[in-house]
Amino acid sequence: MSDKVIPLLDQRRVHAVPALPSQLLAPTGLLSDALGRPLRDLRISVTDRCNFRCGYCMPKQVFDKQYEFLPHSDLLSFEEITRLARVFVAHGVQKIRLTGGEPLLRRHLDALIEMLSEIRTPEGLPLDLTLTTNGSLLARKAASLKAAGLQRVTVSLDGLDDAVFQRMNDVGFPVADVVAGIEAASKAGLGPIKVNMVVKRGVNDQEILPMARHFRGSGVTLRFIEYMDVGATNGWRMDEVLPSSSVLARLREKFDMQPLSASVAGETAERWSYADGQGEIGLISSVTQAFCGDCNRARLSTEGKLYTCLFAHRGHDLRALLRGGASEADLSGAIGLLWGARADRYSQLRASGATTLGDGERRVEMHYIGG
Ligand code: SAM
Ligand code: SF4
Ligand code: SF4
């Protein structure tokens, strides 16, 4: 085992069963948390499995043949996911992102997409329904995903050079297949497509300019993500983070760039456009610039735990309520209570040097609650 990788302590077992409020209040779509932030974005992890072993997410020394992924019976069924999604939407969620693990590994995912695409907001509008994928199966699946009702995709791609990419995914997966997946998604109408590149200093930062050149003018928005200290196994070190400011400086050496204003509140990326009209890029600075102030994202883990922050170490077991016979009003009351009490702002606290984790607590892994 590499000395940097930290063995896993199974924090999936650290959870609480949510309390039901004594008085059940109907959802109004206007729920807000203890810091006044609404609930708009729900990320649902549909599997904890993945066919890649990106070192920053599922280092293969930890997620090896011995690692016990969740048994199928532990996963939320499509009916359970849809039931919860309806309650979240009644509370104000407008956007659902399917993620994982690798979401395209979940069998019959099209059926879930069809079910979710039928949900309407309290105003009668369809959801913004999207999916984040490593792209490995996208060429094969893009058309059927679109037909099922998926609107768009975000594809993770950490470089164009095949050797660099294979080192990043750590399973020898060829970059050409992911590039073909992005093209297939574009042809199928799953746009506007975003491509996420996690930048690790000294590992794939030489790919910043080739990636920018490749996607400039293609209609695809490339977003550079700072390598984050999510989970507890990736051996994260600050000196491997390349700050977004350095990414931008490298881009500005080659291209004339202009800042754009945020298109929606709670947007995670700072947007910049190419002055010659060849599109835009995004910078996601979760390490160097905290953006908790308008964070409106909730995460539902593969087996139905609600996490109110990416850096949480404890989930709230909604599956226990679902399988224990809770009514819609119960579910709505429990979710309302949980979101109403939410005061998470991990990135901000870290930036001010004030983060603490309690005794023996470890943060939840990214592949399990989704990005
Ligand atoms: N397997 C899919 C994929 O890779 O797109 C979906 C799940 S993955 C956990 C979601 C996103 O999290 C990906 O864009 C990935 O690059 C990002 N991610 C995972 N670990 C990260 C880390 N330590 N820092 C920054 N981003 C990370
Ligand atoms: Fe798999 Fe996505 Fe994590 Fe990479 S980032 S190991 S593709 S879940
Ligand atoms: Fe939201 Fe938590 Fe990330 Fe802050 S640290 S932006 S609260 S998920």
Side-chain angles (χ1 to χ4, degrees), residues 124-202:
L125 300 171
L127 298 174
D128 181 6
L129 191 53
T130 172
L131 174 143
T132 301
T133 172
N134 63 25
S136 57
L137 301 169
L138 200 51
R140 227 181 299 162
K141 300 199 173 191
S144 66
L145 292 168
K146 177 70 186 178
L150 190 70
Q151 285 163 4
R152 53 197 183 86
V153 288
T154 297
V155 183
S156 305
L157 176 62
D158 296 334
L160 285 169
D161 177 86
D162 203 34
V164 173
F165 183 66
Q166 294 199 21
R167 252 200 320 279
M168 293 302 283
N169 65 56
D170 217 7
V171 293
F173 195 87
V175 73
D177 291 15
V178 177
V179 172
I182 295 170
E183 281 160 12
S186 171
K187 248 192 224 136
L190 286 169
I193 296 175
K194 290 177 186 156
V195 165
N196 281 351
M197 172 180 178
V198 175
V199 182
K200 272 183 99 170
R201 190 200 290 272

Side-chain angles (χ1 to χ4, degrees), residues 57-77:
C57 177
M58 295 178 77
K60 72 175 172 198
Q61 297 89 333
V62 175
F63 297 92
D64 56 10
K65 286 201 174 67
Q66 272 77 50
Y67 181 78
E68 284 179 38
F69 289 97
L70 295 166
H72 191 75
S73 57
D74 276 5
L75 271 51
L76 288 188
S77 69

Side-chain angles (χ1 to χ4, degrees), residues 50 56-57 99-103 132-134 156 196 198 225-228 230 234 366-367 370-371:
C50 188
Y56 52 71
C57 177
T99 174
E102 173 45 43
T132 301
T133 172
N134 63 25
S156 305
N196 281 351
V198 175
I225 304 184
E226 286 177 352
Y227 168 40
M228 284 189 284
V230 282
N234 62 13
M366 186 95 159
H367 72 282

Side-chain angles (χ1 to χ4, degrees), residues 75-151:
L75 271 51
L76 288 188
S77 69
F78 291 170
E79 288 70 24
E80 288 172 327
I81 291 176
T82 307
R83 205 174 149 209
L84 285 177
R86 283 187 196 285
V87 177
F88 278 98
V89 171
H91 274 307
V93 162
Q94 297 168 347
K95 172 171 162 187
I96 290 186
R97 174 179 296 283
L98 300 180
T99 174
E102 173 45 43
L104 298 185
L105 291 181
R106 178 87 186 245
R107 263 192 253 155
H108 310 301
L109 189 71
D110 294 357
L112 175 64
I113 292 171
E114 267 177 39
M115 290 158 78
L116 295 174
S117 70
E118 282 166 16
I119 299 179
R120 294 290 174 270
T121 66
E123 297 77 35
L125 300 171
L127 298 174
D128 181 6
L129 191 53
T130 172
L131 174 143
T132 301
T133 172
N134 63 25
S136 57
L137 301 169
L138 200 51
R140 227 181 299 162
K141 300 199 173 191
S144 66
L145 292 168
K146 177 70 186 178
L150 190 70
Q151 285 163 4

